[in-house]
Amino acid sequence: MTSNIVRAQRRGLFYSRDSGGKHETTPAQYVGWACREAEKLGVSLQAGPSDIDEMIRTGKSHFNDLFLDYGVQGHRLEREGLNALFAEIEADERISHVFIPHRDRLARPDDATDGMRLELRFRLAGITLVFMDRVCDAIGKGQSPDIGELIISLIDYHNAGKDRRDLAEKMIYAQIALAQNGFSVGGRARYGFDRWLVTAAGTPVRLLAEKERVRMPNHHTAWLPATDGRLEIALRIREMLRTTPASRVAAQLTREGIPSPDAGRTRKDNGVVHPVSGAWNQATIVSIGRNPLFAGLTTAGRRSMGDQLRFTPKGPRRLNEADFRTDDKPKVIQNPADAHIVANAHFQPLVDPEAHRELTEILDARAGTQRGKPRSRDPGRNPLGGRIFDVACRWLMYRAPCKQSYQYYCGQYRQSHGALCSHNHVDGPTAVRFVLSCLRQRIAGFETELEARLRKLAQRDQAKVNGDARATAAKNAIAQIGAELKTVKRNLPLARNSEQYEIIAAKFDELSNQKRMLDAQLKREINVAGPNAIEEEISSALALADRLAALANDEANLPAITELFGAMNVRLFLRFRPEQVKRRKLNLLVSGVLTMGTAPPPIDIYSGPTARAKLKKLVSQDSGKTDSDLPDNNNGSGSEGDSLRNVNRGDRI
């Protein structure tokens, strides 16, 4: 009886990536097609053209029976909307059809067999795929797919992947043509400029709104000087940079309350979306000083990116080994200056070109050996980074290379070049081994104590939840709806005609949606944890404890040790004392304190200024020395990727 109900109540879903590439059809038109096909097949599809437009505006990937991955590349097989689609298929046995406009709306894989496997995953799950040009029936248990269909799908997904490469080639040639004529090749306008729609001759037509796209024959986008005051601020910044470091210029603008270029926006760092603070930073100031647009010149091709082809002034090129990271993912390449495309802008220079060249030379001299060097992201090179302190001056101790190893030096000593604090340092590997041995002693044998503590906390939280009035009300509502669902299920096969059946089926859908919403609300707001959930959480915590113990015993796995130090939140505070060694005095390590978890630090950690300019003032005030008494040398930091300083970090979390 149940299987007959499932077959009679067929439900369909719609899926698509955004309508790009060679298709001119809009997502709303695709949904209209799916609704018409569903009606012909007698399949229920809760969707409307206006729904998908709202999904695009709000960034949703799932609404009613619509699933959409907007702006997601076709070769990515793990997508939010697609994953939600498979989850819905597994949760609802009534789903029998999935409507997808074209095969390239499902995938544009690098390997055609990936697209075939993705399609077979639907069909082997009992789902019929409905495309605009064909229908692929579900494959039952014990059945084999038709060899002809497999060959056709292989060809279709091969062509879909080839379309990505062809599109990349067309885009690169189009960007080269635009760049050679001084037009924008995409992206937001630099600070002090706006995006304008201009004719092919460069005549301005109108100002473009943010993210606005216009397709008009013989018209392009160009960056022209802004008229809202930002240009005057940018010119002031360039003038200040001649005599003032970028960090001090940024601090001055922030104090004056001048909005930064990204003020009011949000950005994503390490997968976390957060609002931009609005404070100016050194990198933004320097980019304004280096921008050749002020000298009336446009540049393109400073970077090469993409997983199909790469930009060069002569045309697209294929990727080589240097274009991939160690994890085989394509990386962004900084091109040399002779590989840039330079052209005249569509306005007169705002500054003298010779003055712009002089400012660039000043910024290059200030940057020294640090310019363009990213901070090392290798977690094994600095296990105690940000976790080791000098008790004498309360400063963080910095990592610095020493022969074939490394040491941690007092940060104040390094920043002041010896004018402040002493030459306190400790061998890096030795400090790491010491902290690791302390963790082994602390972790060993605490599993029993941890389990008892977790059970006590879980029982307390469970008692609190069970007594919550909202939880009780939600449980009662779910139980009532469950009873009504059972009644409606019994009545479905008793319907005398199609009209009665549709009324009962509509009531079943309504109750199912209500129950699903109440379940989600109960988990989200009340956070009910049953006995099984408690056991799962305790098991998860104990598994984490076992993992920490394993990490503590693996001295050779430095990335894992770095992870362990972060999980335990260890911090090491060291005391040094001058000792007579032969004919000279050396600062030797005599004692220290190691803290873990939420334990408070034994000292008030230094939180004052760390910039060299600030330390110069402290030296002159405390000892009467002048700025010239402090050496202004630059110690460098090795080759690209070796720098362990915070270089060009911007507005990070």
Side-chain angles (χ1 to χ4, degrees):
M1 182 65 68
T2 304
S3 60
N4 293 332
I5 295 174
V6 171
R7 283 196 295 270
Q9 282 189 291
R10 296 193 301 176
R11 177 187 172 197
L13 303 177
F14 172 87
Y15 175 80
S16 177
R17 293 187 305 107
D18 62 302
S19 59
K22 61 183 180 181
H23 303 293
E24 298 295 335
T25 312
T26 65
Q29 291 171 330
Y30 280 149
V31 173
W33 158 79
C35 292
R36 293 190 297 271
E37 290 296 318
E39 186 176 359
K40 292 179 184 178
L41 297 171
V43 176
S44 170
L45 180 64
Q46 298 182 8
S50 60
D51 295 336
I52 202 161
D53 290 336
E54 180 66 19
M55 292 175 66
I56 294 174
R57 283 193 296 268
T58 58
K60 292 181 179 178
S61 60
H62 176 205
F63 180 73
N64 289 337
D65 290 339
L66 297 178
F67 296 82
L68 176 68
D69 284 306
Y70 194 79
V72 180
Q73 294 175 319
H75 71 289
R76 290 178 51 189
L77 303 182
E78 288 292 330
R79 316 171 202 147
E80 184 178 357
L82 186 61
N83 293 340
L85 176 67
F86 281 117
E88 187 74 10
I89 290 173
E90 294 177 359
D92 193 342
E93 296 181 352
R94 297 176 302 156
I95 298 173
S96 59
H97 291 69
V98 172
F99 299 87
I100 304 174
H102 301 280
R103 274 181 166 138
D104 63 356
R105 296 300 90 204
L106 176 61
R108 288 180 181 265
D110 295 326
D111 185 350
T113 58
D114 290 337
M116 294 175 60
R117 284 192 288 268
L118 184 61
E119 185 174 304
L120 286 173
R121 181 179 174 184
F122 283 102
R123 300 177 63 188
L124 292 173
I127 302 299
T128 298
L129 293 180
V130 182
F131 299 103
M132 296 184 76
D133 57 349
R134 62 174 52 85
V135 175
C136 298
D137 294 325
I139 301 175
K141 292 183 178 180
Q143 298 180 355
S144 300
D146 182 73
I147 186 64
E149 290 182 350
L150 291 179
I151 294 174
I152 293 174
S153 67
L154 178 66
I155 296 173
D156 286 346
Y157 286 114
H158 170 76
N159 292 334
K162 184 175 179 296
D163 286 341
R164 293 185 65 239
R165 293 184 287 274
D166 294 341
L167 180 61
E169 183 177 0
K170 293 177 182 178
M171 290 182 61
I172 290 176
Y173 278 120
Q175 289 176 344
I176 292 174
L178 291 172
Q180 290 175 344
N181 290 280
F183 296 112
S184 168
V185 296
R188 288 171 50 198
R190 305 285 290 275
Y191 187 77
F193 297 88
D194 286 323
R195 295 170 61 246
W196 278 74
L197 180 68
V198 300
T199 64
T203 304
V205 177
R206 67 176 177 87
L207 178 67
L208 294 175
E210 185 174 357
K211 297 184 180 180
E212 180 182 4
R213 298 180 180 180
V214 177
R215 290 186 178 181
M216 189 180 299
N218 297 322
H219 285 72
H220 305 292
T221 301
W223 291 352
L224 300 181
T227 57
D228 58 357
R230 288 179 290 124
L231 177 61
E232 289 72 16
I233 296 174
L235 293 175
R236 176 193 170 195
I237 290 173
R238 294 175 59 88
E239 193 62 32
M240 294 173 65
L241 280 174
R242 292 184 172 277
T243 58
T244 309
S247 58
R248 290 171 58 185
V249 175
Q252 177 66 26
L253 297 177
T254 302
R255 283 195 299 269
E256 294 178 6
I258 298 175
S260 66
D262 285 336
R265 299 176 180 269
T266 58
R267 63 176 293 168
K268 182 183 291 186
D269 287 318
N270 300 322
V272 180
V273 178
H274 65 97
V276 177
S277 65
W280 290 82
N281 59 67
Q282 183 176 351
T284 303
I285 298 297
V286 172
S287 67
I288 293 174
R290 295 184 181 277
N291 188 0
L293 264 180
F294 292 95
L297 298 174
T298 63
T299 58
R302 292 181 299 171
R303 299 183 300 170
S304 292
M305 61 190 73
D307 61 345
Q308 296 296 314
L309 299 170
R310 290 296 173 95
F311 177 98
T312 70
K314 297 181 179 179
R317 66 169 177 84
R318 293 188 176 275
L319 280 70
N320 52 45
E321 292 184 3
D323 295 310
F324 292 92
R325 303 188 315 216
T326 55
D327 57 359
D328 293 331
K329 293 184 179 180
K331 64 180 180 180
V332 178
I333 301 297
Q334 298 289 339
N335 293 323
D338 56 3
H340 300 173
I341 296 178
V342 181
N344 292 324
H346 293 277
F347 56 87
Q348 294 299 318
L350 303 174
V351 299
D352 181 58
E354 181 63 23
H356 177 74
R357 185 187 63 80
E358 293 177 357
L359 178 58
T360 303
E361 291 179 352
I362 293 173
L363 295 176
D364 288 343
R366 289 179 187 162
T369 60
Q370 288 296 308
R371 185 189 174 200
K373 292 183 181 178
R375 186 181 67 172
S376 173
R377 296 184 181 273
D378 183 358
R381 299 188 63 229
N382 194 11
L384 282 173
R387 301 184 179 279
I388 182 169
F389 300 86
D390 183 353
V391 173
C393 64
R394 303 177 290 116
W395 268 59
L396 187 70
M397 300 185 73
Y398 294 168
R399 178 197 186 279
C402 180
K403 297 180 180 179
Q404 301 300 319
S405 183
Y406 63 94
Q407 293 181 334
Y408 288 101
Y409 292 85
C410 171
Q412 190 176 38
Y413 175 84
R414 301 277 294 183
Q415 286 294 85
S416 64
H417 291 282
L420 299 173
C421 200
S422 301
H423 188 227
N424 298 329
H425 64 278
V426 64
D427 182 66
T430 302
V432 171
R433 287 193 297 269
F434 169 75
V435 175
L436 204 56
S437 65
C438 293
L439 291 183
R440 279 197 292 263
Q441 295 178 14
R442 186 68 183 90
I443 292 175
F446 84 125
E447 289 84 356
T448 304
E449 178 184 352
L450 175 62
E451 183 177 1
R453 178 63 174 166
L454 288 174
R455 290 191 181 280
K456 182 178 180 180
L457 293 175
Q459 292 172 1
R460 184 193 64 186
D461 293 341
Q462 178 64 20
K464 178 180 178 181
V465 169
N466 290 338
D468 195 300
R470 293 180 301 171
T472 303
K475 289 179 181 178
N476 293 337
I478 291 175
Q480 182 179 355
I481 291 178
E484 293 180 9
L485 276 172
K486 290 181 180 179
T487 302
V488 174
K489 274 187 177 181
R490 288 195 300 268
N491 292 335
L492 270 172
L494 302 178
R496 297 180 179 179
N497 50 49
S498 59
E499 182 178 359
Q500 291 183 1
Y501 179 83
E502 290 178 0
I503 294 174
I504 298 174
K507 183 63 175 178
F508 181 86
D509 292 339
E510 179 184 352
L511 292 173
S512 298
N513 291 333
Q514 290 179 5
K515 185 176 183 299
R516 190 182 300 112
M517 292 174 61
L518 281 172
D519 288 337
Q521 181 181 356
L522 193 61
K523 292 179 181 179
R524 183 175 62 253
E525 297 182 1
I526 311 302
N527 193 22
V528 174
N532 294 334
I534 292 176
E535 293 298 328
E536 290 178 1
E537 291 184 6
I538 293 176
S539 299
S540 177
L542 293 176
L544 177 59
D546 293 338
R547 172 168 168 75
L548 293 179
L551 294 178
N553 291 315
D554 190 0
E555 293 189 4
N557 192 347
L558 291 180
I561 291 175
T562 305
E563 178 186 352
L564 173 65
F565 290 170
M568 299 291 290
N569 190 28
V570 298
R571 288 188 290 184
L572 184 60
F573 301 86
L574 302 179
R575 292 187 179 91
F576 298 86
R577 185 174 60 198
E579 297 284 349
Q580 188 73 34
V581 179
K582 295 184 180 180
R583 296 185 178 182
R584 58 176 180 165
K585 283 188 177 182
L586 299 179
N587 287 356
L588 301 180
L589 177 65
V590 293
S591 64
V593 177
L594 178 69
T595 64
M596 304 179 191
T598 58
I603 60 173
D604 183 14
I605 297 176
Y606 178 77
S607 59
T610 60
R612 177 165 171 74
K614 299 290 185 180
L615 296 180
K616 283 183 177 181
K617 293 182 179 179
L618 293 177
V619 173
S620 60
Q621 293 173 359
D622 295 343
S623 61
K625 295 182 179 180
T626 62
D627 290 353
S628 59
D629 294 325
L630 285 175
D632 200 15
N633 60 313
N634 192 313
N635 290 330
S637 61
S639 59
E640 180 176 351
D642 290 338
S643 175
L644 290 170
R645 300 184 183 182
N646 290 333
V647 180
N648 195 16
R649 298 298 287 167
D651 194 351
R652 306 284 292 190
I653 295 179

